[in-house]
Amino acid sequence: RISAMGASSSVPTKPARPPPGTLLNVNEGTFGPNRDPDKDFPKVAGGELSIGWYLYHPDSKETKSLPELGEKLHVLETCKKADKILGLSEYDVEPGIEGCVAMVNDLRKESAEHQVSAEHVKAFKGGALLTRIEETRDACERLRTAWNSAREDIQHAQTVCAKNGMVFDVEKFKENTDRNEECRKMFGRHLLMHSVIRDKFMTTNQGCQFIETLYQATKQ
């Protein structure tokens, strides 16, 4: 699940998630708990401008642009690649992980000894759990491939922004006085993508690591 800097902690019933294959449009700010940027990214937090509002609210905009056209186009194109990665995570991978976790929990409740075996997983609900595991594993691989293919462009965009006075560092945010619109957009996506990669691939027995563990267990 994508967590955004500055998002409200209030989590009511979440509106329906867009279908798989949808790009995450970070500019609209509709990916928070309420899918409402006014509720999820209030402008003021702790008596000062919220970085969440600055990065994700559709009303936030810098008046300056990157001065070099080629660099400007590169950063904007990289933002589109980031939206694909974020959409894959939120609308393809995350629903699969949530579904697998729910089904595994149901399986554990039904298992008298609370020990889930490979045979139990394969047979559960007529093979529905195994199918969901395989589909989610495939979505995880698509996410990994998209991230790996975009990493060089993302790093270059980060370098361009740093050269133009905008370092992608939350702690140094207030020091970034020479801001521009393209790097504002890229900064927000940079934070979201690193959250996604950490949660999906670098956290033990969570995210895609959890799915891979389930998948390998079915092969024993």
Side-chain angles (χ1 to χ4, degrees):
R1 182 178 293 105
I2 288 177
S3 58
M5 180 69 62
S8 167
S9 59
S10 174
V11 185
T13 302
K14 196 169 183 177
R17 184 185 262 126
T22 304
L23 297 183
L24 189 99
N25 192 331
V26 178
N27 297 333
E28 292 179 358
T30 53
F31 54 89
N34 301 285
R35 304 210 188 283
D36 180 339
D38 290 330
K39 293 179 179 178
D40 293 325
F41 305 109
K43 189 170 185 177
V44 178
E48 57 186 26
L49 178 68
S50 161
I51 188 172
W53 184 91
Y54 174 75
L55 294 175
Y56 305 120
H57 197 284
D59 289 345
S60 177
K61 188 176 178 66
E62 289 287 352
T63 56
K64 289 184 179 179
S65 280
L66 283 168
E68 208 279 311
L69 179 59
E71 292 182 340
K72 174 181 176 178
L73 294 176
H74 172 77
V75 173
L76 290 176
E77 189 61 32
T78 305
C79 284
K80 293 179 183 178
K81 293 181 180 181
D83 288 347
K84 178 182 178 182
I85 292 168
L86 295 169
L88 272 170
S89 174
E90 183 74 355
Y91 306 136
D92 293 60
V93 174
E94 189 62 32
I97 292 173
E98 291 174 354
C100 287
V101 169
M103 292 176 79
V104 167
N105 287 338
D106 288 343
L107 175 55
R108 284 174 175 153
K109 289 176 184 176
E110 290 187 13
S111 175
E113 66 275 12
H114 296 282
Q115 191 68 33
V116 178
S117 70
E119 294 308 314
H120 284 136
V121 171
K122 291 175 183 177
F124 190 59
K125 292 190 176 180
L129 174 53
L130 179 59
T131 298
R132 194 67 183 268
I133 292 169
E134 292 172 341
E135 290 174 347
T136 306
R137 182 175 185 261
D138 179 65
C140 283
E141 285 307 306
R142 295 200 308 274
L143 175 60
R144 189 192 302 274
T145 298
W147 167 251
N148 286 335
S149 67
R151 285 177 71 177
E152 188 174 327
D153 286 331
I154 292 167
Q155 289 169 355
H156 180 56
Q158 191 172 351
T159 299
V160 166
C161 290
K163 183 182 74 172
N164 284 273
M166 197 159 179
V167 179
F168 292 175
D169 185 332
V170 174
E171 298 302 319
K172 297 180 179 179
F173 169 66
K174 292 180 181 179
E175 299 172 20
N176 287 336
T177 55
D178 191 16
R179 303 172 185 171
N180 62 77
E181 177 62 3
E182 296 77 30
C183 292
R184 180 190 71 83
K185 291 179 176 179
M186 193 66 233
F187 185 16
R189 287 161 171 84
H190 168 84
L191 291 178
L192 292 177
M193 284 189 294
H194 278 271
S195 171
V196 161
I197 298 307
R198 181 187 66 245
D199 294 345
K200 294 295 187 297
F201 297 112
M202 300 175 68
T203 306
T204 302
N205 209 31
Q206 291 186 29
C208 290
Q209 283 201 21
F210 171 69
I211 298 302
E212 186 63 26
T213 299
L214 285 177
Y215 178 78
Q216 294 301 331
T218 67
K219 299 303 177 184
Q220 294 177 3

